Amino acid sequence: MTTERVLVLGAESDLGRACAQALADSGATLALIAGTTEAEAAFAVKRLAARLGARTSQAIDASNEAAVRVMVRQVSKHLGGLDAVIDATGAGYPHVETLARRELERSGGGTFLVAHSAEDIVDAIEGSAS
């Protein structure tokens, strides 16, 4: 994998952690975001980010459209753009995809994926980079 700039939303979940680990192993530059502001989730994402060398991490309420809008824009600026956004929240908030795709377009294009397995995510991102 080239150095992909990937935002993982829902990084506090088992699936989100697995995606983050697989992406880190393949060389991605990561932003790890907890989809809830619960303290336990926020701390878990901070620890994961430190372990994986993620460029940034935070916790937001993914059900809040304004919070997602601000977070996606901030992360994109911090990483110098986005190549992929992974939704591992399992919640299916439609505004997450809409806002992520808008920011991906600003970054020159990219991939939005809903996570079902870590392996599928890495394969899809590597396939889109080819």
Side-chain angles (χ1 to χ4, degrees), residues 14-110:
D14 289 341
L15 179 57
R17 283 191 300 275
C19 289
Q21 181 67 61
L23 289 162
D25 291 347
S26 67
T29 300
L30 298 174
L32 303 180
I33 311 298
T36 175
T37 57
E38 293 176 9
E40 186 176 315
F43 289 128
V45 167
K46 290 283 184 196
R47 284 190 305 270
L48 181 64
R51 185 170 59 80
L52 298 180
R55 292 277 304 275
T56 188
S57 66
Q58 59 181 284
I60 66 159
D61 176 0
S63 69
N64 181 315
E65 186 173 346
V68 173
R69 180 183 300 110
V70 169
M71 175 274 298
V72 170
R73 189 74 181 125
Q74 286 177 341
V75 167
S76 182
K77 284 182 178 181
H78 186 78
L79 297 182
L82 287 170
D83 299 305
V85 176
I86 309 304
D87 182 353
T89 63
Y93 299 119
H95 61 270
V96 169
E97 182 173 1
T98 300
L99 296 167
R101 287 191 185 281
R102 185 178 303 155
E103 194 58 41
L104 287 164
E105 286 176 25
R106 283 189 187 122
S107 296

